[in-house]
Amino acid sequence: MRLRALLDTDALGLKLLGGEDELDRSVRGVMTTDLRDPSRYLSGGELVLTGLAWRRDAADSDPFVRILVQAGVAALAAGEAELGRVPEDMVAACARHRLPLFAVNESVAFATITEHVVRQVSGERAGDLAAVVDRHRRMMTSGPAGGGPDVVLDLLGSDLDLRAWVLSPTGRPVAGPKDAGLALSSEVCAQLAAEHLAATRAGRRAPHRVTLGATTYSLFPVHGSGHRPAAGAGRLPQAPRDVRETVLSDWLLVVEADAGDWAEERLDLLYGVTQLIAVERDRRDAARTVRRRLAQEVLELVQTGAAPAEIAARLRVAAPVLLPGLGAAPHWQVVVARVEWEDGADGATETGPVAQTLLEEVLVDPLATGPEHSDRIAVAHTGDEAVALVPLPAVSSEHDGSETGILADTLLASIREPLSAGLDGDGRVTIGVSAAVHSAEGLRGALEEARHARRVAAARPGRVCAAGHQELASHVLLLPFVPDDVRRAFTARLLDPLRDYDRRHRAELIPTLESFLDCDGSWTRCATRLHLHVNTLRYRVGRIEQLTGRDLSRLEDKLDFFLALRMS
């Protein structure tokens, strides 16, 4: 289709800002992006849709437009929802590089434009796809809930007699036929997800065909907006720069059929359907933006040692978003995840966002229905680590060990098989799960507990490992729960006299105390480590006891010194 046809379609609400002489250009696909450099996902001929979230100042516009022109895109359409109007520097940059520029009215969703282009471009090759897209569009826009991927799968069943399902990378059913008797078992879902991830890591051409028992399935990847095949630009999507950026987050479309002998038109139809499902995936990802921001704010407050009252106020803001209609603030649980690649790719592939997206998929409740009920967790990322804040509205108020929530063993059992295949021998996923906490004061301890549990999991063999708070029995986990003022008073009472003495006399009582405790009170081993005569060591220990009023031959006093040093 041509750009002129898009401009003439009133329902799209496009306004031409520049490039009137280029309106006869052909559009062969569509891509939505807010990346500063989306070139890796472009193959040429696309209409690029952007909300301008990548733009920080006027200097950003020209490099972005130059990248699009070099990739051979047909035109750029910029949304007005973010900034109110398309900036003049963007208009000027497009004029300099002869790139047609459209403004998208804030009342028009990018999904509407995407579906229109898919329908028009694919209509010449698969007439039945146009009918599916049109009916799906009407159902998606008929109400606030939308039709979602279930509607597309129902139409595949009714119009093309194909049974199909959408799975997450861990094998969680995202959508499927309404008939409960047609649901895939959890074992089959896990095997299909594992086969898909392994084929993707190996670089095999899609669709991937898998035979389980007497049934053959064809697996089609469903990429998010950052990695979307262009409609009409060939059946195979353009590979990302590093498959590890998306392999643990992309959905897959499972069709109960052998696509090996399908005609090109039918394969094109299925790839068009994956684009429709990707639109719904993008919508769900967009709905997570607020929850991600809340989680990031809470995480920053906890890590910077903010007052519990400030954290509690932020949690009160988060509770209605995550649990609408809940009368009281919930209890919380913290889950920490990390994705690591063994070949040194961590520097080239930012693993924090990968772990964040994966953790969001892993923690969705598979028994809940509807995105507003199944997607209540909030996940942030910091460095190479993702941190999830999980509300638990039904936790017991008694501290009797009866709390319920996410269990590490259950979580591990649901993800180990498929993710091990997706890591393909050169990567690891490690997860730590905290106990439930009942107040903002406990969040810091819960975060440390989850991180320590993840380190315990990382020490175990296997590609996918998880550990929970039940497996931890160390004083280290208790220290974060001690209030800051108590910690300061405790350490000051024991250690300040020694610090003052060291400062005045240039002595080394603190290092001596650390070594003495580390050697379990052995005079000989400690003297050897410090290169001292035993009598000199005895003099220093005696001075420590004199200044603090403690006796280092007593277990209780040794333990107090040990904890004071750990908390200081």
Side-chain angles (χ1 to χ4, degrees), residues 3 86 89 100 123 130 153 164 224 232 260 264 323 347 386-387 502-503 530:
L3 291 174
V86 178
D89 49 270
L153 302 187
E264 293 291 320
L323 293 169
V387 180
D502 283 348
R503 188 165 47 251
L530 295 176

Side-chain angles (χ1 to χ4, degrees), residues 406-565:
I406 295 172
L407 300 177
D409 289 343
T410 304
L411 197 63
L412 181 60
S414 67
I415 65 175
R416 177 187 279 145
E417 180 181 351
L419 290 188
S420 295
L423 295 164
D424 194 34
D426 72 345
R428 297 195 74 202
V429 171
T430 51
I431 298 175
V433 182
S434 80
V437 295
H438 304 260
S439 65
E441 288 85 348
L443 270 184
R444 180 182 176 191
L447 177 59
E448 291 300 320
E449 186 176 61
R451 283 175 167 164
H452 190 62
R454 193 207 63 78
R455 288 192 290 269
V456 169
R460 295 173 176 169
R463 292 291 164 192
V464 184
C465 299
H469 64 94
Q470 301 93 336
E471 304 172 60
L472 306 177
S474 169
H475 69 279
V476 176
L477 299 176
L478 301 177
L479 300 185
F481 291 96
V482 179
D484 287 343
D485 53 345
V486 176
R487 291 156 65 99
R488 285 192 294 269
F490 180 72
T491 57
R493 191 160 53 247
L494 280 175
L495 301 182
D496 277 2
L498 306 182
R499 293 189 180 110
D500 291 342
Y501 187 89
D502 283 348
R503 188 165 47 251
R504 290 197 309 271
H505 299 280
R506 296 185 179 180
E508 295 183 340
L509 297 186
I510 291 290
T512 300
L513 175 61
E514 291 175 330
S515 295
F516 186 74
L517 295 175
D518 194 41
C519 292
D520 299 323
S522 170
W523 297 99
T524 303
R525 282 195 290 130
C526 184
T528 300
R529 175 181 293 187
L530 295 176
H531 305 289
L532 298 174
H533 192 277
V534 171
N535 288 341
T536 304
L537 176 61
R538 290 185 184 277
Y539 171 80
R540 288 187 182 181
V541 170
R543 178 65 67 185
I544 291 171
E545 293 175 333
Q546 179 185 15
L547 291 171
T548 60
R550 298 298 185 106
D551 182 355
L552 277 168
S553 66
R554 298 178 67 247
L555 176 62
E556 293 87 346
D557 288 344
K558 286 181 181 177
L559 180 59
D560 283 347
F561 277 122
F562 177 78
L563 292 175
L565 289 169

Side-chain angles (χ1 to χ4, degrees), residues 95-303:
R96 278 195 301 273
H97 295 282
R98 298 182 61 82
L99 180 67
L101 174 64
F102 298 99
V104 182
N105 190 280
E106 61 181 354
S107 64
V108 178
F110 282 177
T112 301
I113 300 173
T114 298
E115 291 172 4
H116 179 82
V117 173
V118 170
R119 183 171 67 249
Q120 296 298 322
V121 173
S122 302
E124 297 178 358
R125 294 171 298 149
D128 50 355
L129 176 59
V132 171
V133 173
D134 186 60
R135 289 168 61 185
H136 176 250
R137 178 188 59 78
R138 291 199 303 270
M139 296 181 123
M140 284 186 68
T141 58
S142 61
D150 292 286
V151 173
V152 179
L153 302 187
D154 289 341
L155 291 172
L156 284 177
S158 61
D159 291 10
L160 303 178
D161 196 26
L162 289 175
R163 283 193 289 190
W165 302 261
V166 177
L167 303 181
S168 78
T170 62
R172 174 181 62 86
V174 176
K178 293 180 180 178
D179 187 347
L182 300 179
L184 298 175
S185 68
S186 58
E187 293 79 8
V188 170
C189 288
Q191 291 180 54
L192 291 173
E195 291 285 349
H196 168 72
L197 290 174
T200 301
R201 286 304 312 275
R204 298 204 300 267
R205 290 172 60 92
H208 312 127
R209 287 175 289 160
V210 179
T211 300
L212 301 179
T215 306
T216 298
Y217 301 93
S218 296
L219 314 180
F220 296 80
V222 177
H223 301 297
S225 60
H227 178 192
R228 181 85 55 78
R235 290 186 289 105
L236 292 177
Q238 184 183 2
R241 184 172 298 166
D242 191 331
V243 71
R244 288 167 293 194
E245 296 177 12
T246 58
V247 67
L248 299 181
S249 59
D250 282 345
W251 287 354
L252 66 145
L253 172 65
V254 178
V255 179
E256 188 181 304
D258 187 345
D261 56 357
W262 280 6
E264 293 291 320
E265 291 78 6
R266 197 170 183 85
L267 285 173
D268 286 339
L269 166 61
L270 266 295
Y271 279 109
V273 168
T274 64
Q275 287 190 300
L276 295 179
I277 297 172
V279 171
E280 177 64 20
R281 168 70 186 274
D282 293 345
R283 185 164 66 177
R284 293 192 186 187
D285 285 347
R288 288 174 172 165
T289 301
V290 174
R291 291 191 291 273
R292 286 178 172 180
R293 186 179 302 118
L294 288 172
Q296 199 74 43
E297 291 174 355
V298 172
L299 178 62
E300 289 174 1
L301 289 174
V302 171
Q303 291 190 135

Side-chain angles (χ1 to χ4, degrees), residues 3-14:
L3 291 174
R4 193 179 305 280
L6 287 175
L7 187 61
D8 292 340
T9 305
D10 294 337
L12 300 183
L14 296 176

